[in-house]
Amino acid sequence: MFARLIALAALAAPALAAPIAGPVVPRSGEPWTLCAAQPIYSATVGPCARSASNPDVCVLERGSNYTLSITWTPEYEVESPRAGAAGFDDGREFAYPGQTFDACAYTTCPLRPQSIFTYTYPFHVFRALDFDKLLVNVTDGVFGPSVLCVEVPVELAPVEDASSSSAAASASEAATSDTASESAPASDPTA
């Protein structure tokens, strides 16, 4: 039955909403979780360097740009979807800076049921931010229910402290000059 609906939806779907095989249901160990009940096909962050401790988690560099891409199917039509992105730092939520609340900036609008859409959210990892999870929530208008909600865990690469890096550079220079003086020929006191 679902395959028949997808085939019918493909005929009526907008050109940018391409049907693919059935939805993915997050299972234990998936790197992302749903916070609404819509069918989701994928959620990826790119470019992505994998974490050594958890290969499903992306390691993000401060000062760099990334894209969160979510492929999904809305359950009903939404003319004016509203978007929100939030970061989480050890459970504390904050509005992610630099976003627009018009979801149509990130996906094709209007949203149609039984069609597959890709929500593409480009974001910058600001140097002053700390977060371990990024949440995207798309609602039907300002106060409507969620039509897309996904949480994606991330890991931030450690920031090298400027004072420790200059101390390390000074130590390296001192070691180099010590090595240079040790390898220099000794002057001959009898000459």
Side-chain angles (χ1 to χ4, degrees):
M1 177 69 173
F2 184 72
R4 189 181 272 169
L5 288 173
I6 289 291
L8 290 173
L11 297 173
L16 296 176
I20 58 177
V24 175
V25 177
R27 57 188 185 277
S28 178
E30 284 287 349
W32 47 271
T33 56
L34 295 176
C35 38
Q38 75 288 333
I40 242 198
Y41 298 90
S42 67
T44 59
V45 175
C48 177
R50 297 295 174 183
S51 167
S53 61
N54 183 352
D56 288 332
V57 174
C58 286
V59 177
L60 306 179
E61 298 280 338
R62 287 177 171 84
S64 296
N65 295 318
Y66 296 91
T67 301
L68 172 60
S69 239
I70 305 164
T71 305
W72 62 294
T73 299
E75 293 185 326
Y76 55 91
E77 186 165 331
V78 179
E79 291 293 324
S80 301
R82 184 158 167 94
F88 286 83
D89 180 23
D90 289 327
R92 293 182 310 269
E93 182 178 358
F94 61 91
Y96 203 86
Q99 64 181 305
T100 179
F101 297 108
D102 177 10
C104 298
Y106 306 120
T107 193
T108 305
C109 288
L111 302 176
R112 306 254 187 248
Q114 305 305 317
S115 295
I116 297 173
F117 292 86
T118 298
Y119 183 92
T120 304
Y121 176 64
F123 64 100
H124 181 78
V125 178
F126 294 91
R127 294 186 189 280
L129 287 182
D130 280 321
F131 63 101
D132 53 15
K133 182 171 43 176
L134 186 63
L135 176 137
V136 168
N137 188 23
V138 177
T139 58
D140 185 357
V142 176
F143 300 109
S146 286
V147 293
L148 170 66
C149 187
V150 178
E151 296 175 351
V152 180
V154 297
E155 186 178 307
L156 294 181
V159 175
E160 189 173 311
D161 182 26
S163 63
S164 68
S165 66
S166 70
S170 297
S172 174
E173 288 171 13
T176 304
S177 68
D178 287 347
T179 305
S181 65
E182 287 173 7
S183 61
S187 57
D188 184 0
T190 60

